[in-house]
Amino acid sequence: MTGKPEVLKVWLRGQITIDRLLWTENGLEVTLTSGKDQDVMIELPEAISKVETENSASFIKRKKLREGTMEVSLKERAPITIRVTY
């Protein structure tokens, strides 16, 4: 247990699963898995200063840090972890 707010296993429309969502001091970390190849738009409530990812198959296609948005290309059953710093 990290002592930080965390959510595990949330199923969303479009065959997307939030495997883990963790809030950090400076932002958040989320791991997503898709049941099919698809592109999704992620919108956050404020501007982002930095985004990092872990995965070789799924990836961020476009990001607009000032607007807090990013388009992510999810590959079927290829989890991606995204770390956002505000």
Side-chain angles (χ1 to χ4, degrees):
M1 183 82 177
T2 62
K4 297 178 183 173
E6 183 175 18
V7 174
L8 300 173
K9 289 292 181 193
V10 176
W11 291 270
L12 306 174
R13 289 184 333 165
Q15 299 182 33
I16 298 172
T17 303
I18 297 175
D19 300 309
R20 180 172 181 252
L21 174 59
L22 172 71
W23 286 266
T24 64
E25 280 185 35
N26 301 322
L28 60 91
E29 181 177 307
V30 63
T31 302
L32 303 171
T33 304
S34 178
K36 62 183 181 179
D37 290 354
Q38 62 180 311
D39 293 342
V40 297
M41 184 64 72
I42 297 175
E43 295 183 29
L44 299 167
E46 59 186 276
I48 301 166
S49 65
K50 183 168 75 170
V51 176
E52 299 172 291
T53 63
E54 284 181 21
N55 186 288
S56 59
S58 297
F59 59 94
I60 295 175
K61 288 177 71 170
R62 276 187 286 269
K63 55 190 170 190
K64 294 182 180 179
L65 300 182
R66 284 189 214 158
E67 294 158 15
T69 64
M70 66 188 92
E71 184 178 2
V72 181
S73 181
L74 299 173
K75 299 302 175 192
E76 183 177 359
R77 291 190 289 269
I80 183 170
T81 297
I82 302 169
R83 282 187 206 87
V84 173
T85 304
Y86 290 112

